Structure formats: C-alpha cells, structure tokens
Amino acid sequence: MNKLTLISSPTCPYVQRAVIALKEKHADFDVVYVDLQNKPDWFLAISPMGKVPLLRVERDGGPPAIIFESAVILEYLEETLPGEKLHPADALHRAQHRAWIEFCSNMLGELSRFSRATDPAGLQIARAALSVKFKRLESELAEGPYFSGTHFSLVDTAFAPFFRQIDALETVAPTALLDGFPRIEHWRRALANRPSVKAAVPEDYVERYLHRLRELGAEVLKAA
C-alpha cells in the first residue's frame, strides 16, 4: 500500500473533504498541519497554488508524488482505495454529483463572504446570495438522510464541512440561514452525526474558526 500524508490546515473545509473520504475508506494516513498565515518554504516548494489540501503519496521504488486540489484528491482516493464506493456507478450520475460538488464550492465562497462580512449591509447581501442557493439545493433533495438517499457519497463529503461552519457560528448566535429549508436541515443533522464527519477536525476546531472571524471583525459575531 502507498503511504498517504495529508498536508492540512486545522479549519480548512476543503481539507475536511479529504479526511472524511479517507475515514470512510478506513485508510491509514498521516496529517501534517501548516500555518497558512506563515507558509513554510517546504510547503511552497510542493504546493503549486500555495493552498491546502495536498496529498503526498509515497510509493515503493519511486519519489513521493503530490496531488493538489480537493476535488482531484477525492477522485484519486475513490479510484485507488478499497471500500464502499462514494461515487455512483452510472457515468451520468457521477457527472451530476461532480457538478453538485462544484456547486458546494461556490456556496463555500458565499458562506465565507457571509461569515467575514464586517458591516450589516455586507452581511445582508451575503445572506441573500446564500438564500438563493439554498432554495435551489432544497428542491434537489429527496427524503435523505443523505444527498442521494441512504447512500453516503462524495457530495456529502463536500457539504459536511460547509454545514460545520454554520454549526460553529451557531454556537455563538443563531444564523437563521436554514430557516424554511427542512430537507437541508435534516441533511445537515445527519451529516453532523456521521462518525467520519465528527472525526474530520481537531477538537478545538470551533474555537479556531471563531477566533479567526473575531480577528477579522466579523459582523455576524458582533451581536452575540
């Protein structure tokens, strides 16, 4: 078996996607954390985009290989690791799932604008943009508990870190982001209870995440 090392940041949602997939596959892997505010030279030397996650793959008889970008890492893990498949077998369904993973990445950008807004106007603009996305997502979901019903998929690995950020915000004050979206709320709770999702972050994740927002002067935390 190849030796896998995930190069990570404690609060990065894209890293969490890879951790969840690795744990769903019951894979052995190591984690190395880097400070993204003070990136070490060795990290910049192997990260073409200067971002996490990176997956270092060590093989017998060859130099370590570096894979970057979370979506690519997820595809590699799906193709090479044993265990239950997290992508649909049908090519059309796989393509649709990949598209919804991209949709989630877009929503993470909207959520970042919401959580980092420093004034009421910016907060409301970001809230409105998220609401549009939530309406579209709510119409896509069926009974659940997961995106594709009872089968946990890579779409779930993508959205679980997104919902975790909302969960963290709501330890301080209600966001009301999911009011009126019962299917999304049901999905959110199912993901939060999944063992692989619970184990995807360090124990002090919430404190780290909120601390960074407070440093940025986040409006969403000012009323708490």
Side-chain angles (χ1 to χ4, degrees):
M1 291 291 292
N2 296 333
K3 176 178 171 55
L4 304 177
T5 303
L6 190 65
I7 299 167
S8 171
S9 174
T11 60
C12 175
Y14 295 96
V15 167
Q16 293 171 46
R17 295 178 176 186
V19 175
I20 293 167
L22 284 160
K23 289 187 176 293
E24 288 288 332
K25 298 284 189 177
H26 304 288
D28 291 327
F29 66 100
D30 295 325
V31 175
V32 174
Y33 289 119
V34 295
D35 180 359
L36 296 181
Q37 306 303 314
N38 185 26
K39 299 172 185 176
D41 290 341
W42 67 263
F43 170 74
L44 293 173
I46 64 173
S47 178
M49 301 179 73
K51 300 190 301 184
V52 293
L54 300 177
L55 183 68
R56 185 171 65 210
V57 183
E58 298 178 56
R59 303 162 293 176
D60 291 338
I66 298 294
I67 304 172
F68 60 99
E69 288 298 299
S70 65
V72 180
I73 292 171
L74 290 179
E75 295 287 342
Y76 173 77
L77 297 176
E78 178 72 356
E79 291 174 3
T80 60
L81 292 180
E84 186 173 0
K85 293 299 182 183
L86 302 178
H87 252 336
D90 178 76
L92 177 58
H93 289 165
R94 282 199 307 277
Q96 290 173 321
H97 275 218
R98 288 176 178 128
W100 281 106
I101 291 170
E102 183 62 26
F103 185 87
C104 178
S105 296
N106 183 270
M107 288 192 74
L108 273 166
E110 300 284 3
L111 183 59
S112 178
R113 283 184 278 276
F114 174 83
S115 62
R116 294 173 178 235
T118 56
D119 58 75
L123 190 68
Q124 287 306 113
I125 291 170
R127 181 186 296 277
L130 277 170
S131 181
V132 172
K133 296 290 195 306
F134 281 132
K135 287 177 183 177
R136 183 64 187 85
L137 185 59
E138 179 81 3
S139 70
E140 184 69 19
L141 296 175
E143 295 302 316
Y146 302 119
F147 182 80
S148 293
T150 59
H151 180 70
F152 187 88
S153 72
L154 288 179
V155 180
D156 297 296
T157 72
F159 272 95
F162 172 85
F163 292 129
R164 192 196 306 276
Q165 289 190 354
I166 297 177
D167 292 341
L169 291 172
E170 292 191 344
T171 64
V172 178
T175 66
L177 286 173
L178 296 182
D179 288 0
F181 302 112
R183 290 180 177 178
I184 297 177
E185 181 62 32
H186 179 60
W187 183 28
R188 168 197 181 186
R189 294 184 184 280
L191 291 177
N193 288 324
R194 186 88 177 181
S196 62
V197 174
K198 290 181 178 180
V201 293
E203 290 185 358
D204 63 349
Y205 165 82
V206 172
E207 290 79 4
R208 287 176 177 268
Y209 177 71
L210 295 179
H211 175 72
R212 180 60 179 155
L213 293 183
R214 290 188 177 100
E215 286 185 328
L216 296 171
E219 179 69 23
V220 71
L221 301 183
K222 290 179 181 177

